[in-house]
Amino acid sequence: MIIWLASYPKSGNTWLRFFIISLLMGRKTNLNLNHLKAIGAYPEKSQFKGLLSNVLDLDQVAKNWISSQNHINQQNDSLRFLKTHNIFGKFKNHPFTDGKNTLASIHIVRDPRNVITSIKNHFNMAEYNNAKNFLFKKGQVLTLSENEKEKFMNREKHSLPQIIGSWKTHYLSWKSMKKNYLLIKYENLIKNPGDEFTKVANFLGKLFKHNFTKEVIDNAIKLSSFDKLEKMEQEHGFIESTANQDGTKQKFFYLGPKNNWRKLLNKELIEEINIEFENEMKELGYL
């Protein structure tokens, strides 16, 4: 069965994935960013073999969410992690997942006033207004860009269209999953990594029926620090980073803990975000 690692883009999913890999493998392996492949993304082309006539058709992808997950889980009976930015819910009456395929979800959420800066950088947007429109759009869909189509379309493995919605609709969708659900705030990972990552380890320990010792958890936290991840990218690059129009790679681990919306956003933009997401931000303690 699947344990979802769910997040809106640029909310700390990669950090969470590397911590989990460090937790499970860190004492046996000299880890690097390539080990993130151990936790795959969903939906991807390789997971929908024989199901799609057009891999960029969102209707076809949504229609086959359950069929693809049935196939994934039939391959063996073990638990598996899958990262996703997709909303939890239905599209044209097709559910994203079901109780047969899903065991649990860890949902990581981040203050939208900091998400917007990372979105602007990651997608190489010229202005904050573009990133704001991305963040606010209720029907937002992630799909391959024109450059990515040329690069990936003939490959066995590439991402398929994902419905991510707005920051608000994404948060509310995953919040509605109550079975084996853990909500983690990115900001708490920064302020109290020991406490927050221990919550993740204990949550997984119950699912795996395994007790992760404090020593193992502390070691995983050290191995997955933002500084270490940033250094790995500087030295070896990172396959998940995007490229500028001239082909140069954007930094994936951009600002991290140094991302401070108070210093980066103007008052008008801050006010727009606060109004658009007021109830959810209050609920999460951001306002």
Side-chain angles (χ1 to χ4, degrees):
M1 295 185 77
I2 298 167
I3 301 171
W4 297 104
L5 306 181
S7 72
Y8 193 80
K10 307 310 296 178
S11 297
N13 204 311
T14 301
W15 191 11
L16 176 64
R17 287 157 61 205
F18 203 85
F19 167 76
I20 291 172
I21 291 168
S22 299
L23 187 71
L24 300 176
M25 302 168 56
R27 304 191 76 183
K28 303 176 182 177
T29 308
N30 185 18
L31 295 175
N32 59 62
L33 292 176
N34 285 327
H35 286 95
L36 283 165
K37 295 176 183 177
I39 297 179
Y42 181 92
E44 284 190 337
K45 180 181 177 181
S46 60
Q47 300 154 344
F48 286 71
K49 286 183 179 178
L51 296 174
L52 308 175
S53 59
N54 180 355
V55 295
L56 296 182
D57 185 332
L58 179 59
D59 288 6
Q60 288 190 36
V61 173
K63 183 179 179 180
N64 288 285
W65 280 331
I66 299 301
S67 296
S68 69
Q69 291 170 33
N70 286 340
H71 178 70
I72 289 169
N73 282 316
Q74 285 169 2
Q75 291 176 357
N76 59 61
D77 295 328
S78 64
L79 302 181
R80 72 193 66 241
F81 295 98
L82 285 176
K83 160 200 169 180
T84 192
H85 294 312
N86 211 94
I87 61 168
F88 173 69
K90 292 183 178 181
F91 178 72
K92 295 187 177 180
N93 211 36
H94 301 301
F96 175 68
T97 189
D98 58 17
K100 177 184 174 184
N101 287 294
T102 291
L103 175 65
S105 59
I106 301 176
H107 179 199
I108 184 165
V109 66
R110 186 183 189 188
D111 189 326
R113 294 167 297 189
N114 278 333
V115 171
I116 193 170
T117 301
S118 293
I119 289 288
K120 179 178 178 293
N121 175 71
H122 184 72
F123 293 106
N124 194 28
M125 295 175 176
E127 300 177 357
Y128 270 109
N129 195 52
N130 302 121
K132 181 198 73 175
N133 293 338
F134 184 102
L135 208 66
F136 284 15
K137 187 176 179 181
K138 294 179 181 179
Q140 186 66 257
V141 174
L142 279 186
T143 191
L144 295 181
S145 68
E146 291 303 316
N147 288 339
E148 288 171 329
K149 288 177 186 177
E150 293 182 12
K151 182 178 180 181
F152 293 114
M153 278 297 286
N154 293 324
R155 296 189 184 181
E156 181 67 23
K157 190 174 181 179
H158 65 71
S159 61
L160 300 182
Q162 296 182 72
I163 308 166
I164 64 170
S166 69
W167 179 89
K168 171 181 175 177
T169 55
H170 190 282
Y171 165 66
L172 292 176
S173 75
W174 281 97
K175 176 192 166 188
S176 69
M177 178 182 273
K178 299 302 181 183
K179 177 190 174 184
N180 294 333
Y181 169 84
L182 178 65
L183 175 67
I184 293 291
K185 289 168 61 176
Y186 178 90
E187 293 74 19
N188 289 345
L189 292 179
I190 294 171
K191 293 176 184 176
N192 302 299
D195 292 343
E196 292 304 302
F197 280 121
T198 296
K199 286 181 186 177
V200 174
N202 290 340
F203 179 78
L204 296 177
K206 290 179 181 178
L207 299 176
F208 286 108
K209 296 180 171 59
H210 178 80
N211 180 39
F212 294 104
T213 66
K214 185 178 185 303
E215 180 185 359
V216 168
I217 296 170
D218 288 346
N219 184 59
I221 292 171
K222 290 178 183 177
L223 289 174
S224 56
S225 72
F226 185 87
D227 288 344
K228 283 188 178 294
L229 297 176
E230 187 178 36
K231 185 177 180 181
M232 288 179 194
E233 181 183 17
Q234 289 173 351
E235 293 178 350
H236 306 292
F238 185 31
I239 194 171
E240 294 183 24
S241 63
T242 55
N244 294 321
Q245 291 183 349
D246 63 3
T248 59
K249 284 279 193 176
Q250 292 276 75
K251 281 186 66 177
F252 186 92
F253 299 102
Y254 179 48
L255 291 173
K258 299 173 186 174
N259 189 351
N260 187 340
W261 57 268
R262 292 179 179 85
K263 297 179 180 179
L264 297 168
L265 307 183
N266 63 45
K267 292 181 180 179
E268 291 75 18
L269 182 54
I270 293 169
E271 186 64 18
E272 285 186 82
I273 295 172
N274 290 350
I275 291 171
E276 181 73 12
F277 304 135
E278 180 179 9
N279 292 337
E280 293 71 33
M281 291 174 71
K282 284 182 176 178
E283 183 178 295
L284 288 162
Y286 294 142
L287 289 178

